[in-house]
Structure formats: structure tokens, C-alpha cells
């Protein structure tokens, strides 16, 4: 048994494994027609785009750590397994201290620059699950110090004592404390509660949250809720308050990928979980609103079919909204379906839309309502138009006619609510990918 445990520990350690793990890239050329041009000034043109990625494995990723029991010192060095060069930018390939603690039974003292934050709740939803939530509360300018804590598989508590340096001067008397207790997982139930206080700024932070995950066969139901506040020196009452909650029914795991359809096919629509959910956000301030964010991502309900919808509804509930301000609405969504033609050729028709009315102001739902049109013109439609915003897009992608090559054609409107430039553009594209 001891030999088996030792072997497992060694297998987790990083070792040298230098190789090229991935070389990928693509090149695209698009030719488009501006349908809003007249017969005299008709506009057409090309657009070229390239992407390149090199991923070099320098070591098999893992950790090396000390072991012990009773009273002992724990140090863990975590190594990333690859160095990436993407469009000229270098990243990855890191080595960092993951843990540095002195253990006294289940008690410990951490001597690493602390990470205890009061707040930071991310809600679960079918799309963009980390977009809404409760931000960290309190003054976290302090950076250096230690943590005193207690933890087991079910419960943990951390108390951070920190001070903030001024440049290279660490003797500043600028101290802060943060404490957070956590119920880790009790038959699907988890909870957090915390408080922070910065002695110099006298800013107090408060936070609490609860979550529950119920397994339902291969699917699950996940519920989360939380609230946070701050107390400022010399100001009556609490400030910067937030409350948020979400319900997600899911039939798959979360992935760091976008919605996969027009208008939800960029980083502003990450992350995604096959399921249907709704998030609710309420800023606890005088002139406030209730933000309701429904979302749906199909996953593999129907083979080769992808459908995604993300919406946001802003309901003014504060007393000081301007007269005439009503419900703000914004919805984006789309569908695509890949059809096999013979053994190698695929045809994927796609369609999508995005809509926002004139009362929609915050524009937080994935950022998809202020993004540029992805056509050859590079023009931008926003919700600034007094009549609101409506774009539609429809096209088809064909793959397999030539190896490593796809051909696409699509129509995309400009803002159909605007007084001018409503027709949009038509584009065709060839893409070679490795």
C-alpha cells in the first residue's frame, strides 16, 4: 500500500517533456457588397484575416509538494505544461507557489500573500455564467501578511491579516483583516459568510451566499444566491449593496466556450452549460433596477443542432427614474444545423438575431448588444438609436469540398430600426484552417 501511494505521488510531479503540442491557424478572405450603396456609389471590397497559434510542451504539468502530519510545513509548486505563442503574444509555461502553510493538526497558518475575499459570487446560467454576481466587498489594497485558518472536507474558516506596502516600504501601518467561513459541500449544500475591515480607510465589507446542487439522474438543478454590502467611514447606513440569485437546470457540464451561433459566437458570450436558467441581479441603491437574465443553450439535445438564446430585462424599481422610463429589453439568439452530404461534405445553415429596445441602458448581457457587425464594413450598431436596435443575420457554411477549407456566405442587416442604412451587407468567404 505504501509503495502504491508513493508511486501515485510521483506521477503527479512535473517532468521534462519538450515537444510541440499544437500548431494551428487559419486564414480567411472575405468579399462583400454594401447593400445600402446606390447604383452610382455601390461599394464592394475584400477583407483578409489570419490567426496563428503555437503550443510548446515544456513539461508534463503537475505539482511537487511536501507531505506530513501533525505539525508540519506544506509547500506546493504548481507547474503549467505548455508555453503558447498566439498571434505573437506569449503566455503559459508558468511555475508558481500554490500553497505555503504551517499545519498544526486541522489548524494552519498560511504565509503566502493572501487571497481571502469577502464576496466574489459568480452565478450559474446556461450562457455567460460568470457575468452576474456579487463583487468582493471591502478594501483589498492590502497585499502582504498571513492567514490563520481551520479546514476539513466539510467546513473551513480563514482569517487574513494584511498590510499594504508603499512601493518598497513595507512599514506603513496600513492594516486590514478579512474573515470568511465556508460550508464546502453537505449533500449538495454549500454556504459562505464573511466580513472585512480596513483600519486605515475604515471600510467595512459584509457578504453571505448559499448554493444547492441537486442531482437528477444525468442532469442537475443548481440554485445560488448571495448579497454583499459595504460601510464607509462617516456615511450613515450601508452602501454599494448587491443581491443576486440564479436557477439552472442543466444536462451537461460547463465549458469555457461561447454560444456557437450568430451574435453569441464571441468571447462576450462565454461560458456555456447545456441547459436553461435565469439569473436575477438587484443593485441595492436608491435609484435601482431589477435585472433578469434568462439563457438557454441546447447542447446535444438534437445531434448536429446548436441553439442559444441570451436575454436581459431591466425593470426600474427605484423612486428617481426619469418619467417615461420603462422596461428595458434585450435578446440575442440563433440556431445552426450541420447536415452531412455524402461521406465528406457538410452543409451548415445558420440564422441569428439581436434586439434591444430604446429603454435598454445597462447593456451587460454578454456585451452582445454593442458589438460590431462581423461583416466587411466594420460598422457598429449600438442601442444608442432612440428607436432601439434590431439586427438579423443568415448564412450557410460548406465544408469538405476541399480538404482543410470551408466556404461561407451570409447576409447581415444593419440596424433595422434606424432611419437610414437598413439594407445591410452580403458576404462570401473562403477559410483555410490547420
Amino acid at each position: 500500500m505504501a509503495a502504491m501511494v508513493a508511486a501515485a505521488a510521483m506521477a503527479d510531479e512535473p517532468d521534462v517533456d519538450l515537444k510541440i503540442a499544437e500548431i494551428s491557424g487559419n486564414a480567411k478572405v472575405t468579399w462583400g457588397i454594401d447593400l445600402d450603396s446606390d447604383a452610382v456609389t455601390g461599394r464592394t471590397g475584400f477583407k483578409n484575416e489570419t490567426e496563428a497559434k503555437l503550443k510548446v510542451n515544456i513539461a508534463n504539468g503537475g505539482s511537487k509538494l511536501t507531505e506530513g502530519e501533525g505539525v508540519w510545513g506544506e509547500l506546493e509548486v504548481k507547474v503549467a505544461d505548455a508555453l503558447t505563442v498566439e498571434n505573437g503574444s506569449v503566455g503559459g509555461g508558468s511555475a508558481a507557489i500554490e500553497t505555503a502553510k504551517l499545519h498544526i493538526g486541522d489548524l494552519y497558518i498560511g504565509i503566502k500573500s493572501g487571497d481571502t475575499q469577502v464576496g466574489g459570487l459568480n452565478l450559474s446560467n446556461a450562457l455567460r455564467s460568470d457575468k452576474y454576481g456579487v463583487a468582493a466587498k471591502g478594501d483589498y489594497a492590502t497585499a502582504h501578511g498571513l492567514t490563520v485558518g481551520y479546514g476539513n472536507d466539510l467546513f473551513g474558516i480563514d482569517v487574513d491579516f494584511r498590510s499594504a506596502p508603499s512601493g518598497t516600504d513595507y512599514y506603513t501601518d496600513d492594516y486590514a483583516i478579512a474573515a470568511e467561513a465556508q460550508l464546502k459541500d453537505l449533500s449538495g449544500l454549500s454556504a459562505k459568510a464573511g466580513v472585512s475591515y480596513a483600519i486605515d480607510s475604515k471600510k467595512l465589507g459584509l457578504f453571505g451566499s448559499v448554493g444547492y446542487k441537486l442531482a437528477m439522474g444525468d442532469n442537475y438543478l443548481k440554485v445560488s444566491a448571495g448579497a454583499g454590502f459595504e460601510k464607509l467611514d462617516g456615511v450613515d447606513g450601508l452602501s454599494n449593496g448587491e443581491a443576486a440569485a440564479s436557477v439552472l437546470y442543466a444536462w451537461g457540464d460547463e465549458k469555457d466556450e461561447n454560444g456557437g451561433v450568430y451574435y453569441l459566437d464571441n468571447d462576450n458570450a462565454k461560458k456555456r452549460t447545456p441547459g436553461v436558467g435565469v439569473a436575477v441581479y438587484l443593485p441595492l441603491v436608491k435609484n435601482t433596477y431589477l435585472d433578469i437574465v434568462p439563457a438557454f443553450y441546447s447542447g446535444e439535445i438534437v445531434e448536429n443542432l446548436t441553439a442559444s438564446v441570451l436575454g436581459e430585462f431591466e425593470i426600474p424599481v427605484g423612486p428617481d427614474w426619469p418619467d417615461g422610463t420603462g422596461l428595458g429589453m434585450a435578446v440575442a439568439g440563433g440556431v445552426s444545423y450541420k447536415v452531412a452530404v455524402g461521406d465528406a461534405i457538410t452543409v451548415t445553415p445558420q440564422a441569428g438575431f439581436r434586439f434591444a429596445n430604446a429603454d435598454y441602458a445597462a447593456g451587460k448581457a454578454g456585451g452582445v448588444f454593442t458589438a460590431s457587425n462581423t461583416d466587411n464594413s466594420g460598422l457598429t450598431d449600438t442601442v444608442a438609436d432612440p428607436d432601439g436596435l434590431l439586427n438579423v443575420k443568415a448564412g450557410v457554411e460548406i465544408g469538405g469540398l476541399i480538404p482543410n477549407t470551408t466556404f461561407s456566405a451570409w447576409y447581415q442587416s444593419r440596424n433595422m430600426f434606424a432611419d437610414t442604412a437598413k439594407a445591410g451587407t452580403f458576404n462570401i468567404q473562403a477559410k483555410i484552417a490547420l
Side-chain angles (χ1 to χ4, degrees):
M1 179 66 71
M4 292 175 63
V5 171
M10 290 296 293
D12 289 334
E13 292 188 12
D15 56 11
V16 175
D17 185 15
L18 183 62
K19 64 183 179 182
I20 295 177
E22 177 186 348
I23 300 178
S24 62
N26 65 76
K28 297 181 284 188
V29 59
T30 305
W31 182 80
I33 306 171
D34 186 344
L35 301 176
D36 288 307
S37 301
D38 56 37
V40 177
T41 63
R43 300 192 307 166
T44 62
F46 286 103
K47 180 180 181 181
N48 293 104
E49 300 171 90
T50 60
E51 295 178 310
K53 182 178 181 180
L54 168 66
K55 186 175 181 180
V56 179
N57 199 77
I58 57 177
N60 291 320
S63 300
K64 185 166 185 177
L65 67 158
T66 58
E67 297 181 352
E69 60 183 22
V71 179
W72 62 287
E74 177 186 6
L75 186 71
E76 179 181 3
V77 180
K78 189 173 184 179
V79 178
D81 60 354
L83 182 73
T84 60
V85 181
E86 191 164 358
N87 293 330
S89 299
V90 181
S94 63
I97 300 295
E98 187 77 2
T99 306
K101 295 178 179 178
L102 173 63
H103 289 266
I104 308 172
D106 287 336
L107 296 171
Y108 59 84
I109 300 174
I111 63 170
K112 181 186 170 187
S113 180
D115 57 5
T116 297
Q117 288 191 336
V118 174
L121 171 69
N122 290 329
L123 298 177
S124 298
N125 210 341
L127 286 172
R128 196 58 175 173
S129 57
D130 61 349
K131 186 68 177 180
Y132 296 86
V134 179
K137 300 302 176 184
D139 187 349
Y140 289 96
T142 53
H144 297 267
L146 53 84
T147 301
V148 177
Y150 170 87
N152 54 36
D153 293 339
L154 296 177
F155 176 79
I157 184 168
D158 291 293
V159 180
D160 280 18
F161 300 94
R162 307 273 158 211
S163 67
S166 177
T168 58
D169 180 10
Y170 294 92
Y171 310 103
T172 61
D173 290 325
D174 186 3
Y175 287 97
I177 184 172
E180 187 169 69
Q182 178 179 5
L183 180 65
K184 296 179 180 180
D185 190 354
L186 182 61
S187 299
L189 178 67
S190 60
K192 285 184 179 182
V195 59
S196 69
Y197 183 71
I199 296 173
D200 190 36
S201 67
K202 297 182 174 59
K203 181 183 287 187
L204 175 70
L206 301 169
F207 170 78
S209 69
V210 63
Y212 184 69
K213 184 176 181 179
L214 174 65
M216 306 174 70
D218 294 333
N219 306 335
Y220 62 89
L221 181 70
K222 189 174 182 180
V223 180
S224 302
F229 307 87
E230 288 180 342
K231 178 68 173 69
L232 303 179
D233 185 34
V235 178
D236 292 335
L238 299 172
S239 62
N240 197 23
E242 300 174 287
S246 67
V247 179
L248 170 66
Y249 178 74
W251 46 85
D253 295 327
E254 180 184 273
K255 291 186 178 180
D256 191 23
E257 298 175 357
N258 59 49
V261 298
Y262 289 148
Y263 297 118
L264 295 173
D265 54 359
N266 54 53
D267 287 349
N268 289 324
K270 288 184 177 181
K271 304 175 179 176
R272 74 183 190 195
T273 304
V276 58
V278 61
V280 179
Y281 174 75
L282 179 67
L284 300 174
V285 294
K286 183 178 180 181
N287 184 25
T288 193
Y289 60 91
L290 180 65
D291 215 352
I292 302 174
V293 185
F296 167 78
Y297 172 64
S298 63
E300 298 296 327
I301 293 179
V302 177
E303 188 177 3
N304 297 326
L305 175 70
T306 299
S308 300
V309 180
L310 177 64
E312 184 174 16
F313 300 87
E314 298 174 341
I315 305 173
V317 295
D320 297 327
W321 282 84
D323 292 340
T325 301
L327 171 67
M329 297 185 295
V331 183
V335 62
S336 70
Y337 185 68
K338 182 182 288 188
V339 180
V341 180
D343 294 332
I345 299 174
T346 60
V347 179
T348 307
Q350 306 176 64
F353 75 96
R354 60 179 182 176
F355 160 79
N357 70 354
D359 286 318
Y360 179 77
K364 294 187 295 298
V368 297
F369 305 107
T370 56
S372 298
N373 280 325
T374 54
D375 59 18
N376 202 12
S377 69
L379 297 181
T380 301
D381 289 333
T382 72
V383 295
D385 192 281
D387 294 321
L389 170 70
L390 176 62
N391 294 133
V392 296
K393 186 174 181 180
V396 63
E397 180 180 281
I398 301 174
L401 288 174
I402 300 174
N404 307 319
T405 305
T406 56
F407 299 95
S408 303
W410 69 89
Y411 163 79
Q412 178 162 289
S413 77
R414 295 200 176 103
N415 186 2
M416 300 178 71
F417 288 159
D419 292 334
T420 59
K422 295 181 181 179
T425 64
F426 177 78
N427 301 271
I428 57 176
Q429 182 183 91
K431 176 181 176 181
I432 302 173
L434 175 64

